[in-house]
């Protein structure tokens, strides 16, 4: 059964601080892993996409890592901003259909 | 704005009523997806279309749910005899083609509340 676990469930940090979000997954077939940012009441927006052969991918202050052997990924946010307050969702899988499994997300709150 | 639009943004309906949502994808995208998201959870796959063909349906899509994509452009998702458990955000996404780097763009969703 496909499973995606994210930790922590929620996180509060001060503006300017760094943080790391974790994702553990058991998904088959697996060819890539995405991280999405979802603001409250909005649709998800893609941050990074990594294939199973990639170990890291950056997008500005966001850096994702992937260890396909241990089935773990992380998203590191550097120098957090108030606008980073959102849910961050890990999505391992294949294509966007049945095999594209969204995690439950980590709710990040950045306080001034 | 991702270019995918959904209408309405919010819908409140009484239990037992039928509702229909519309999604307009990015015009050159041939793939269109519907997802459902409940509070505190990630989106769950419902169905997807390639052009006008409905290629996959989740078992979450009961016989009260029907989706169409006539002419391979916009899509509608209809829920008949709504139940309180249908209350959720319904998300539509579109993409150009299959591939590990294929980007899907999501609309802002339709929030359904069944009272």
């Amino acid at each position: 059964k496909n499973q995606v676990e994210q930790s922590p469930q929620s996180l509060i940090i001060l503006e300017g601080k760094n943080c790391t979000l974790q994702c553990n997954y058991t998904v088959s077939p697996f060819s890539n892993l995405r991280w999405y940012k979802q603001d409250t009441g909005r649709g998800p927006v893609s941050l990074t996409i990594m294939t199973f052969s990639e170990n890291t991918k950056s997008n500005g202050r966001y850096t994702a890592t992937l260890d396909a052997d241990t089935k773990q990924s992380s998203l590191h946010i550097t120098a957090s901003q108030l606008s980073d307050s959102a849910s961050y969702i890990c999505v391992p899988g294949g294509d966007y259909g049945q095999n594209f499994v969204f995690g439950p997300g980590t709710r990040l709150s950045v306080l001034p | 704005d991702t270019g995918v639009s959904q209408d309405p943004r919010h819908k409140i309906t009484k239990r037992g009523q039928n509702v229909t949502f519309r999604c307009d994808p990015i015009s050159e995208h041939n793939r269109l997806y519907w997802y459902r998201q409940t509070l505190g959870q990630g989106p769950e796959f419902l169905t997807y279309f390639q052009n006008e063909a409905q290629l996959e349906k989740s078992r979450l899509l009961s016989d009260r749910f029907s989706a169409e994509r006539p002419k391979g452009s916009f899509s509608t998702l209809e829920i008949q005899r709504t139940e309180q458990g249908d209350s959720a955000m319904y998300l539509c996404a579109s993409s150009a083609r299959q591939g590990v780097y294929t980007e899907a763009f999501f609309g802002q969703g339709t929030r359904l509340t069944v009272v």
Side-chain angles (χ1 to χ4, degrees):
Chain A
K1 179 182 177 184
N2 289 333
Q3 284 190 313
V4 184
E5 297 176 346
Q6 292 190 242
S7 61
Q9 185 175 19
S10 61
L11 180 64
I12 300 174
I13 62 173
L14 294 177
E15 186 179 12
K17 298 296 186 182
N18 303 337
C19 66
T20 300
L21 314 180
Q22 302 289 344
C23 173
N24 296 333
Y25 62 91
T26 304
V27 170
S28 179
F30 176 78
S31 64
N32 59 76
L33 187 142
R34 293 165 163 83
W35 281 92
Y36 279 88
K37 177 186 179 185
Q38 185 174 25
D39 293 318
T40 301
R42 309 291 288 265
V45 175
S46 178
L47 293 175
T48 63
I49 304 174
M50 292 179 290
T51 68
F52 64 87
S53 61
E54 293 178 294
N55 298 121
T56 186
K57 184 70 69 80
S58 291
N59 177 3
R61 295 180 297 103
Y62 302 102
T63 299
T65 66
L66 173 63
D67 185 334
D69 292 332
T70 62
K71 297 182 172 55
Q72 295 180 325
S73 178
S74 67
L75 180 70
H76 185 75
I77 304 174
T78 304
S80 60
Q81 301 176 358
L82 298 179
S83 59
D84 292 333
S85 294
S87 288
Y88 291 85
I89 305 175
C90 169
V91 192
D95 197 3
Y96 277 92
Q98 298 270 18
N99 302 317
F100 200 62
V101 185
F102 284 78
T106 290
R107 179 70 201 173
L108 175 66
S109 298
V110 180
L111 302 182
Chain B
D1 183 6
T2 62
V4 179
S5 61
Q6 292 188 244
D7 184 68
R9 290 292 311 280
H10 304 275
K11 178 71 177 179
I12 300 175
T13 190
K14 292 183 178 179
R15 188 176 53 186
Q17 298 294 306
N18 300 343
V19 293
T20 300
F21 311 140
R22 177 180 171 121
C23 172
D24 286 273
I26 294 171
S27 58
E28 62 267 26
H29 285 182
N30 62 349
R31 287 190 155 201
L32 186 147
Y33 314 84
W34 284 100
Y35 290 85
R36 181 175 71 184
Q37 185 175 26
T38 53
L39 208 59
Q41 300 297 316
E44 296 173 294
F45 170 78
L46 292 178
T47 188
Y48 97 83
F49 292 84
Q50 182 161 307
N51 300 312
E52 66 275 10
Q54 189 174 17
L55 296 187
E56 259 185 81
K57 291 170 63 173
S58 164
R59 60 181 178 277
L60 293 175
L61 214 65
S62 74
D63 55 7
R64 296 186 297 106
F65 288 70
S66 63
E68 295 183 341
R69 192 183 182 196
K71 303 178 183 178
S73 55
F74 71 91
S75 176
T76 58
L77 178 68
E78 181 183 16
I79 308 174
Q80 296 181 326
R81 306 180 304 280
T82 52
E83 302 172 355
Q84 287 189 322
D86 296 331
S87 296
M89 173 81 87
Y90 290 84
L91 292 163
C92 172
S94 70
S95 70
R97 58 177 176 80
Q98 185 176 352
V100 294
Y101 285 114
T102 297
E103 192 60 73
F105 296 87
F106 283 83
Q108 295 191 40
T110 293
R111 168 73 65 188
L112 172 67
T113 302
V114 182
V115 298

